[in-house]
């Protein structure tokens, strides 16, 4: 059973961090390039994907933290990989439950115009920038977590 939970840890970590990198740095830019004539559609699709990876991240973080605590007990709290997962979870939750709904509300408030053509443009751009920075930090932390997990510090 332990080998199964160890393998599942690796799969869950790969799914989460790989998903972050794939959606954020391959899929979203490709959407905007392919749908350059309809940036609103590209943004809507990208937003759905970021929401999906946000929910996936919450589930993955829950498993990874549970795994670490059940495997190492209280000693898990002294491992930097544990706190890396906690930080990634917090960043993901802030984005999913704080920033993404705010961006969606700004888009809705701008209707019937596109948000970037409205008076809400600067506010949207600021929050979108904050979201992008949090996503980048989460992605880098995920990379560090993958590298740390390969050295056996689960």
């Amino acid at each position: 059973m332990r080998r199964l939970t160890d393998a599942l840890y690796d799969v869950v970590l790969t799914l989460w961090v790989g998903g972050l990198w794939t959606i954020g740095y391959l899929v979203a830019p490709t959407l905007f390039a392919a749908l350059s004539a309809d940036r609103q559609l590209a943004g809507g699709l990208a937003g759905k994907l970021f929401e999906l990876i946000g929910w996936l991240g919450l589930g993955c973080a829950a498993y990874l933290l549970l795994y670490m605590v059940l495997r190492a007990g209280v000693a898990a709290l002294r491992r930097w990989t544990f706190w890396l997962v906690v930080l990634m979870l917090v960043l993901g939750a802030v984005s999913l439950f704080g920033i993404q709904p705010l961006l969606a509300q700004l888009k809705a408030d701008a209707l019937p115009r596109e948000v970037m053509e409205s008076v809400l443009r600067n506010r949207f751009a600021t929050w979108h920038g904050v979201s992008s920075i949090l996503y980048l930090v989460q992605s880098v932390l995920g990379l560090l977590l993958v590298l740390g997990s390969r050295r056996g510090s689960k």
Side-chain angles (χ1 to χ4, degrees), residues 68-82:
M68 289 182 209
V69 168
L70 291 177
R71 186 165 187 232
V74 177
L77 300 175
R78 291 190 297 271
R79 295 189 175 151
W80 64 273
T81 52
F82 178 88

Side-chain angles (χ1 to χ4, degrees), residues 7 21 23 42-43 63 69 76 97 121 128:
W21 282 84
I23 289 171
Y63 176 79
V69 168
F97 300 119
R121 176 185 182 166
H128 190 274

Side-chain angles (χ1 to χ4, degrees), residues 27-44 46-47 50 128:
V27 175
T30 301
L31 279 173
F32 281 96
L35 299 172
S36 60
D38 193 348
R39 294 186 60 78
Q40 193 167 9
L41 176 61
F50 286 121
H128 190 274

